Amino acid sequence: MKTIKQISIFLENQRGKLSDILTALKDQNIEIQAASVADTTEYGILRLITSDQVKAARLLSAKGHLVNLNEVLAIQVEPDTAAFADAIDALTSGGCSISYLYTFHKDGKLVLIIRPANLEITERVATEKGLTLIQGWE
């Protein structure tokens, strides 16, 4: 599959939790390339793409954080709203359901990080629709 790894970290909504994670990554020279935080009143989920996903996951797990490595799709498009809209339309018109997504810029392009309901189907549709999938970079 043409996927990349994403780190998901369960965070209690307490002062200093996010800072602890960022400091641990900083101390090990692990760069954050993309981040997303989803929260409720009691906890949050921090999703990260870093310069070294496996090292970051091991480090944070060893520090007592609940960490999960997930497979997600990374789709590269031109850095404008039209390309973003066209990519999402291609996926949804192809029958794909997106659980969540976030974006970041890399090398002059917009990268869509997508967690679909079904990775295999979404990868197939993306390929059929001519979307550029980024595979396995860390």
Side-chain angles (χ1 to χ4, degrees):
M1 286 195 62
K2 293 182 178 178
T3 60
I4 64 168
K5 292 191 184 318
Q6 166 194 264
I7 302 169
S8 297
I9 306 146
F10 179 81
L11 287 175
E12 294 177 73
N13 279 351
Q14 294 179 355
R15 182 173 299 183
K17 293 291 185 179
L18 180 59
S19 182
D20 290 345
I21 289 169
L22 298 176
T23 298
L25 295 173
K26 175 188 76 170
D27 290 347
Q28 293 297 312
N29 297 314
I30 298 171
E31 295 298 324
I32 296 172
Q33 297 169 335
S36 171
V37 177
D39 70 338
T40 67
T41 56
E42 296 176 15
Y43 68 91
I45 299 173
L46 173 63
R47 295 182 175 106
L48 297 174
I49 306 295
T50 71
S51 58
D52 190 331
Q53 297 293 75
V54 174
K55 181 179 177 182
R58 286 182 185 148
L59 170 70
L60 296 173
S61 290
K63 292 196 167 287
H65 296 284
L66 182 58
V67 177
N68 199 11
L69 274 172
N70 311 87
E71 297 292 326
V72 294
L73 292 176
I75 298 173
Q76 182 176 286
V77 299
E78 292 301 315
D80 57 55
T81 303
F84 188 172
D86 290 346
I88 298 304
D89 183 55
L91 295 174
T92 55
S93 68
C96 300
S97 177
I98 298 170
S99 299
Y100 62 81
L101 76 89
Y102 55 100
T103 67
F104 68 98
H105 284 87
K106 181 175 174 57
D107 301 327
K109 301 289 185 178
L110 182 65
V111 179
L112 315 177
I113 301 296
I114 298 175
R115 178 69 175 184
N118 186 302
L119 276 169
E120 293 82 13
I121 291 172
T122 305
E123 179 186 5
R124 180 181 47 78
V125 169
T127 300
E128 289 171 359
K129 300 284 186 170
L131 298 174
T132 303
L133 293 170
I134 300 171
Q135 182 178 357
W137 107 80
E138 302 240 355

